[in-house]
Amino acid sequence: MLLRLLKAERLKLKRSPVWLAFLLMPIVPALLGTLNYIGNIDILKSEWYSLWTQHTLFTCYFFLPVMVGIYCAYLMRLEHDQHNWNKMLTMPVQRPLIFLAKLITASVMILLSELWIGILFVLSGKLIGMTAAVPLRSVAIWCLFGTLGGTVMAAIQLLISLSIKSFTLPIGISLAGGISGLIFLAKNLGHIWLYSLMAYGMNSNAPQQMLKSGYAGFVIICVVYILIITSFASALMNRREL
């Protein structure tokens, strides 16, 4: 049944306008980050790693949170519009699976966004003439762990969009959350705040140092958050009319 729900979510996204956000929005922070790197090249000496800090400075705290907010708000808006929840909830399927299908769909969209961000990062470095070898293994790790942290953000944003029928308000909350993630990272609390886990997983502040708490600790924290939020959303769906 979960596979059928995932297929239904994929069909709903076909020819969706959210793909414009997927394609266009990451280009802006890539451009800004590259220009910022060029403007400070005298003090940024680590080439690829320094370029990554400049790209993620704009991506992790502003553009990606907005993109996640758009993805999740759109996934829920499809059900809020024209009382589609009534049709969904009369299907012979457990309600928690509906939320889980949307979360998996959002996480796949985040993964694709991370891959596109990684491609833009490599292209930017090549275009400005970097000669050092591209740290492809590091980029892959940053993008994968960024996806995992982003899935936590998607879970809370889906819960917010489940509760709030407005399309724009959850996106604004996601942006505010992304900015708050910068504050928590500055206070060395990025590994526990829901909205900073994506930036923390992408090693946006110190890309030459892999996750200080270790990969296992990061994965455990993210999985626990996802389970808690999914359980809460499932209980909410079971106890109230949507």
Side-chain angles (χ1 to χ4, degrees), residues 185-205:
L185 278 169
K187 295 182 178 296
N188 294 318
L189 296 172
H191 61 293
I192 61 172
W193 177 234
L194 289 81
Y195 283 97
S196 59
L197 287 171
M198 182 166 58
Y200 188 78
M202 293 175 73
N203 279 274
S204 60
N205 287 359

Side-chain angles (χ1 to χ4, degrees), residues 16-27 63 66-67 70-71 113 116:
S16 166
V18 299
W19 295 113
L20 289 175
F22 163 79
L23 288 172
L24 299 179
M25 289 188 68
I27 296 176
F63 288 89
V66 170
M67 290 173 67
I70 290 174
Y71 294 161
S113 297
W116 179 223

Side-chain angles (χ1 to χ4, degrees), residues 82-146:
Q82 300 179 359
H83 304 289
N84 284 338
W85 275 119
N86 295 334
K87 300 175 184 177
M88 289 287 292
L89 298 180
T90 56
M91 295 172 58
V93 59
Q94 294 180 343
R95 293 187 179 188
L97 289 181
I98 298 174
F99 185 86
L100 183 59
K102 291 185 179 295
L103 180 58
I104 293 173
T105 301
S107 67
V108 171
M109 297 169 76
I110 294 169
L111 175 60
L112 293 175
S113 297
E114 291 279 356
L115 292 175
W116 179 223
I117 288 167
I119 291 171
L120 290 171
F121 167 69
V122 174
L123 288 175
S124 298
K126 291 296 184 181
L127 287 173
I128 61 177
M130 286 189 175
T131 56
V134 181
L136 290 177
R137 180 178 179 275
S138 295
V139 173
I141 291 173
W142 298 333
C143 292
L144 286 174
F145 280 88

